[in-house]
């Protein structure tokens, strides 16, 4: 079963003028098939944790176990925080890059990518270059690129942060629908408490830097989930306030840290 | 462009030429130093018919083409290598930094010591002039490929060969092309200067020898031709670039 066990994980960046302690004593277990949302003040180490999971950084302390059952499928795929699709590739080449990297032949790549591109509303844009797309469309390419490799763990770093509110709502619905078909393990970073509650099975609230897990909130809404009725529910409003109560202090501390020291 | 604007932009050079013709005809400028456009046209015709022009243009184009190819190809290869390997970069960076600021035409005499006074020294000076802007742009282009693209490639487990072919090279290509365009401009300057002083043929020689013999109309033909060549090469290069970098088309 694909699961993540992080035990007292630490990460120090020594490169700059002063060493930065991004994570300390970060302990978290993510279950197989779970949609786990990560929230916390800016700079608290969310992306750092994700990058460690993707093996783009190595932790400087603690242990990390990523158990993936299927050696034929990639362990992780990342949807990055910033625009990360290649400007020099068309939509379809971009979306198929993960498969290309795994040596899947072109015909097969296209066969697998096309239905997914249609599903995310890019069926008409397969041969377009990124500069011809809107921000939301670019992000959908990036999501398709990750999904199509059928990773055992999907890592998403604020994928909808750059979108306007309406498009964001649409994309959240699309993601819920897409995910409920596959039920891969997801670690999803967001700044939006609302988004975390709409999408996640659990919401992990982190402290200000150096980031630790402050509290984990279980999300009670059933699957398959209808985001509309979740939004309309009373529990949702209460949970948003609860989460904010947990995070407010940390956000203040992070802000003081930025200004003062 | 709107019709009126197009008309204006066609009309303005024609007006300029007419004014030029008139000032020379009216004796407002000395006809010994400034040839009238009509006389330049006549000279152009005569030189075309006699084959003199084709010979000089051909020789210069050959020197540019050969020098450019000899300079650009290794420059791109070395630049890529330097961009990919820190140690290779450490070896070549100081050498390039030391030689780059020298105006390449200044080493023409030295090249003539090595290559003789024939074609090779002219081709060599063009090659060296083309080499530097291209090698510098290539390795900066490679080194400045956005980190996030490399992270994407790594996160999907792309092999080194694939990262190079699909990420690093296309990512650097616009900067490499900027270097090639720069190199072309430099090469035109250098070949004309080299032909001024050290050749018995070529457009530079045509301009210089006509000036020495006060054949001002022929000198102006040389200027006209080099301007046309420069423009055509620039357009050609832009077209190649448009095809090679389709994602930059607006
Ligand atoms: N490569 C690096 N070198 C030095 N410091 C780094 C590096 N990467 C991240 N950091 C620092 O580590 C801390 C955590 O960064 P991280 O990107 O994980 O934050 P985040 O929680 O994702 O923030 P945001 O919500 O703004 O994206 C920050 O202070 C950041 O400056
Ligand atoms: Mg981040």
């Amino acid at each position: 079963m694909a699961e993540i066990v992080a035990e007292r994980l630490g990460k120090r960046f020594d490169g700059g003028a002063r060493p930065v302690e991004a994570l300390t004593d970060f302990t978290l277990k993510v279950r197989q098939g779970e949609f786990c949302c990560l929230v916390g003040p800016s700079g608290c180490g969310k992306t750092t944790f994700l990058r460690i999971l993707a093996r783009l950084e190595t932790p400087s302390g603690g242990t990390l176990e990523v158990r993936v059952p299927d050696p034929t499928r990639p362990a992780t795929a990342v949807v990055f925080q910033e625009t990360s699709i290649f400007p020099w590739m068309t939509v379809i080449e971009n979306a198929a890059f993960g498969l290309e990297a795994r040596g899947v032949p072109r015909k097969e790549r296209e066969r697998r990518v096309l239905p997914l591109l249609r599903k995310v509303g890019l069926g008409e844009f397969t041969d377009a270059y990124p500069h011809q797309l809107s921000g939301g469309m670019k992000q959908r390419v990036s999501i398709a690129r990750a999904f199509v490799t059928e990773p055992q763990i999907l890592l998403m770093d604020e994928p909808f942060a750059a979108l306007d509110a309406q498009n964001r709502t649409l994309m959240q619905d699309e993601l819920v629908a897409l995910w409920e078909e596959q039920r891969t393990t997801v670690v999803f970073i967001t700044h939006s408490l609302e988004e975390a509650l709409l999408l996640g099975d659990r919401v992990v609230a982190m402290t200000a830097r150096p980031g630790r897990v402050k509290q984990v909130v279980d999300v009670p809404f059933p699957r398959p989930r209808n985001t509309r009725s979740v939004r309309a529910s009373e529990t949702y409003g209460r949970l948003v306030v609860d989460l904010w109560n947990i995070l407010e202090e940390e956000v203040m501390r992070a802000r003081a840290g930025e200004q003062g020291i | 462009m709107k019709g009126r604007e197009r008309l204006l932009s066609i009309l303005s050079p024609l007006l300029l030429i007419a004014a030029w013709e008139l000032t020379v005809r009216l004796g407002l400028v000395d006809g010994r130093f400034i040839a009238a456009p009509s006389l330049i046209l006549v000279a152009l015709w005569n030189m075309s018919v006699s084959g003199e022009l084709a010979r000089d243009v051909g020789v210069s184009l050959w020197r540019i083409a050969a020098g450019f190819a000899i300079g650009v190809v290794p420059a791109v290869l070395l630049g890529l290598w330097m961009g990919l390997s820190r140690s290779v970069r450490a070896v070549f960076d100081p050498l390039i930094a030391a030689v780059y600021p020298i105006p390449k035409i200044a080493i023409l005499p030295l090249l003539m010591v090595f290559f003789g006074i024939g074609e090779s020294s002219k081709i060599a000076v063009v090659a060296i002039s083309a080499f530097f802007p291209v090698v510098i742009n290539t390795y900066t282009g490679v080194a400045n490929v956005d980190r996030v693209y490399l992270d994407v490639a790594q996160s999907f487990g792309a092999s080194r060969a694939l990262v190079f072919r699909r990420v690093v090279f296309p990512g650097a290509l616009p900067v490499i092309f900027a270097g090639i365009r720069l190199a072309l401009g430099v090469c035109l300057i250098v070949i004309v200067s080299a032909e001024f002083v050290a050749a018995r043929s070529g457009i530079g020689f045509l301009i210089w020898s006509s000036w020495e013999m006060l054949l001002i109309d022929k000198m102006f033909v040389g200027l006209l031709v080099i301007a046309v060549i420069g423009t055509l090469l620039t357009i050609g290069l832009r077209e190649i670039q448009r095809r090679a970098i389709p994602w930059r088309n607006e």
Side-chain angles (χ1 to χ4, degrees):
Chain A
M1 295 278 104
E3 56 174 11
I4 302 163
V5 184
E7 202 92 49
R8 311 199 53 159
L9 216 55
K11 178 66 190 177
R12 249 167 82 99
F13 291 105
D14 287 318
R18 274 191 311 175
V20 176
E21 202 84 41
L23 288 175
T24 36
D25 283 343
F26 184 92
T27 299
L28 179 69
K29 204 167 183 169
V30 180
R31 292 187 293 267
Q32 146 74 16
E34 180 184 3
F35 199 122
C36 178
C37 291
L38 218 55
V39 295
S42 184
C44 76
K46 303 183 292 297
T47 299
T48 304
F49 175 58
L50 208 79
R51 290 175 60 87
I52 293 174
L53 288 177
R55 311 217 171 279
L56 294 171
E57 308 280 1
T58 46
S60 38
T63 58
L64 174 71
E65 249 187 280
V66 178
R67 295 194 200 117
V68 284
D70 188 348
T72 62
R73 282 163 58 197
T76 58
V78 189
V79 178
F80 286 83
Q81 185 168 5
E82 62 268 57
T83 303
S84 67
I85 58 171
F86 305 113
W88 49 86
M89 292 186 198
T90 60
V91 165
I92 192 162
E93 289 176 300
N94 260 298
F97 181 77
L99 298 177
E100 189 176 357
R102 294 182 69 76
V104 178
R106 172 185 297 268
K107 279 274 176 307
E108 165 86 6
R109 294 204 291 266
E110 291 182 358
R111 194 182 59 72
R112 286 170 63 179
V113 165
L114 272 172
L116 195 57
L117 283 178
R118 282 198 208 101
K119 200 176 287 176
V120 297
L122 290 169
E124 307 286 304
F125 294 90
T126 50
D127 294 323
Y129 282 101
H131 76 262
Q132 299 164 305
L133 305 180
S134 72
M137 291 158 96
K138 285 181 203 166
Q139 210 49 333
R140 276 183 265 175
V141 177
S142 168
I143 291 169
R145 177 174 69 189
F147 260 92
V148 77
T149 61
E150 299 183 0
Q152 296 173 80
I153 301 169
L154 186 60
L155 305 171
M156 304 181 85
D157 195 351
E158 303 193 37
F160 308 144
L163 305 186
D164 63 84
Q166 282 90 41
N167 266 307
R168 190 170 180 150
T169 306
L170 287 179
M171 296 281 295
Q172 287 165 349
D173 285 346
E174 282 172 23
L175 178 62
V176 167
L178 216 52
W179 177 78
E180 283 176 353
E181 283 174 26
Q182 295 200 351
R183 298 279 179 149
T184 34
T185 310
V186 177
V187 178
F188 187 102
I189 297 176
T190 176
H191 269 125
S192 159
L193 308 182
E194 288 84 354
E195 185 168 81
L197 290 166
L198 283 174
L199 302 177
D201 295 320
R202 285 193 305 159
V203 180
V204 177
M206 289 176 66
T207 66
R209 201 184 64 228
R212 278 178 296 107
V213 174
K214 181 165 190 186
Q215 196 166 329
V216 179
V217 175
D218 283 308
V219 182
F221 309 119
R223 305 272 183 192
R225 196 174 280 180
N226 179 334
T227 55
R228 236 169 266 253
S229 53
V230 169
R231 280 177 205 278
S233 74
E234 228 173 273
T235 331
Y236 173 69
R238 189 172 48 71
L239 280 175
V240 172
V241 176
D242 285 354
L243 258 181
W244 177 237
N245 286 336
I246 296 167
L247 272 182
E248 184 176 18
E249 180 198 352
E250 301 303 326
V251 174
M252 294 309 223
R253 265 184 43 204
R255 205 202 274 178
E258 270 167 28
Q259 287 165 352
I261 317 146
Chain B
M1 247 193 294
K2 292 210 195 75
R4 210 175 82 93
E5 285 168 26
R6 179 165 308 175
L7 191 69
L8 283 175
S9 56
I10 293 172
L11 225 52
S12 70
L14 288 178
L15 273 174
L16 183 73
I17 291 171
W20 176 359
E21 182 79 34
L22 219 60
T23 39
V24 180
R25 295 271 158 163
L26 295 175
L28 297 177
V29 294
D30 192 333
R32 282 176 304 168
F33 300 120
I34 306 281
S38 54
L39 292 182
I40 297 173
L41 274 181
V42 171
L44 177 65
W45 175 255
N46 290 336
M47 289 161 74
S48 305
V49 171
S50 73
E52 180 187 1
L53 192 60
R55 190 182 56 101
D56 281 326
V57 169
V59 166
S60 290
L61 281 181
W62 158 247
R63 288 169 183 157
I64 292 172
F68 211 62
I70 293 170
V72 166
V73 173
V76 170
L77 294 178
L78 180 63
L80 291 174
W81 199 25
M82 288 173 72
L84 294 175
S85 155
R86 281 169 177 278
S87 31
V88 175
R89 192 165 176 173
V91 171
F92 288 100
D93 223 1
L95 298 179
I96 289 173
V99 182
Y100 177 60
I102 302 173
K104 299 305 164 302
I105 193 69
I107 54 176
L108 181 61
L110 185 65
L111 291 172
M112 288 167 79
V113 173
F114 286 120
F115 293 103
I117 55 168
E119 287 307 291
S120 327
S121 53
K122 273 72 121 188
I123 290 171
V125 77
V126 171
I128 289 171
S129 312
F131 179 83
F132 284 91
V134 175
V135 75
I136 290 171
N137 271 46
T138 304
Y139 80 69
T140 15
V142 171
N144 289 337
V145 169
D146 203 328
R147 195 57 260 167
V148 70
Y149 299 131
L150 302 175
D151 283 346
V152 169
Q154 197 191 332
S155 74
F156 282 111
S159 67
R160 279 181 67 93
L162 190 73
V163 174
F164 176 76
R165 189 164 60 80
R166 295 293 267 159
V167 181
V168 172
F169 185 67
L173 203 52
V175 189
I176 296 177
F177 257 102
I180 292 178
R181 277 211 312 273
L182 210 64
L184 183 65
V186 174
C187 285
L188 284 177
I189 298 173
V190 163
I191 192 61
V192 170
S193 332
E195 287 170 350
F196 274 0
V197 294
R200 308 300 302 162
S201 61
I203 300 165
F205 169 76
L206 167 69
I207 294 172
W208 191 258
S209 60
S210 308
W211 149 248
E212 279 186 326
M213 292 181 279
L214 274 182
L215 301 170
I216 295 304
D217 48 351
K218 289 179 77 174
M219 184 191 84
F220 272 98
V221 170
L223 290 177
L224 185 68
V225 166
I226 193 76
V228 169
I229 288 175
T231 311
L232 289 181
L233 288 179
T234 307
I235 291 172
L237 204 54
R238 196 177 300 151
E239 188 57 26
I240 294 174
Q241 181 171 3
R242 209 175 59 76
R243 281 156 202 264
I245 314 180
W247 64 90
R248 276 289 183 90
N249 294 348
E250 250 64 38

